[in-house]
Amino acid sequence: FFFNDTATTEIYTEQIVGSVRCVQETGTWGELEKSLDYGLKALELRKKISDKVDEDYANIYAGIAYVYGEMKDDQKAIEYYQLSADMKLECYGEFSLEYAQDVSYICLLYTSPSPRDRQKSRMPSSA
């Protein structure tokens, strides 16, 4: 689904809840909050369905992390990418593209300052 012509956020689920993916975001804060709400709802539903660790479960966390990143809440984005990475590590092992991809997203979030936000450091206070 699309929120409007300027906000092209698409969230879809696979296999009942499955993977949440934010395909493209060009919207405003309001659409990002709605996107986050859907991601958190998908996570809640997935937890009720099964706690089995698999790629679909990990991708829900990655989708939520992406939204937090777009909202410039990098600490939350790192937290959710780390959860996704931990699940992918368990599923695929350390030497897998799936695990490496989430680790690389975490790496990018520690970049300070970012081109999109030169006024504040994106480094978490604990780093």
Side-chain angles (χ1 to χ4, degrees):
F1 64 89
F2 294 94
F3 293 112
N4 60 43
D5 291 336
T6 59
T8 56
T9 300
E10 178 181 331
I11 297 177
Y12 63 94
T13 57
E14 299 171 355
Q15 302 171 356
I16 303 173
V17 176
S19 303
V20 174
R21 296 184 183 167
C22 302
V23 176
Q24 184 180 14
E25 176 57 63
T26 58
T28 62
W29 187 261
E31 285 88 21
L32 289 171
E33 286 181 343
K34 190 175 235 182
S35 181
L36 180 61
D37 288 344
Y38 276 98
L40 294 171
K41 176 71 172 177
L43 182 59
E44 177 185 322
L45 291 169
R46 181 58 168 84
K47 285 178 178 180
K48 289 179 181 179
I49 294 167
S50 172
D51 60 354
K52 178 183 173 229
V53 173
D54 60 20
E55 183 179 14
D56 288 334
Y57 206 173
N59 284 338
I60 294 172
Y61 280 103
I64 293 168
Y66 174 83
V67 175
Y68 275 124
E70 289 298 305
M71 295 171 87
K72 299 182 182 174
D73 188 342
D74 294 338
Q75 289 183 17
K76 280 286 199 187
I78 289 167
E79 175 186 337
Y80 277 83
Y81 274 128
Q82 187 62 60
L83 290 166
S84 176
D86 291 346
M87 289 183 173
K88 289 178 182 175
L89 177 62
E90 185 177 332
C91 290
Y92 300 107
E94 184 177 9
F95 301 105
S96 66
L97 178 59
E98 295 83 2
Y99 173 69
Q101 186 175 32
D102 282 353
V103 172
S104 72
Y105 294 149
I106 294 168
C107 169
L108 293 173
L109 286 165
Y110 277 106
T111 302
S112 179
S114 77
R116 72 174 182 205
D117 187 7
R118 297 197 184 276
Q119 298 305 311
K120 71 171 194 167
S121 172
R122 294 165 51 94
M123 295 293 287
S125 57
S126 63

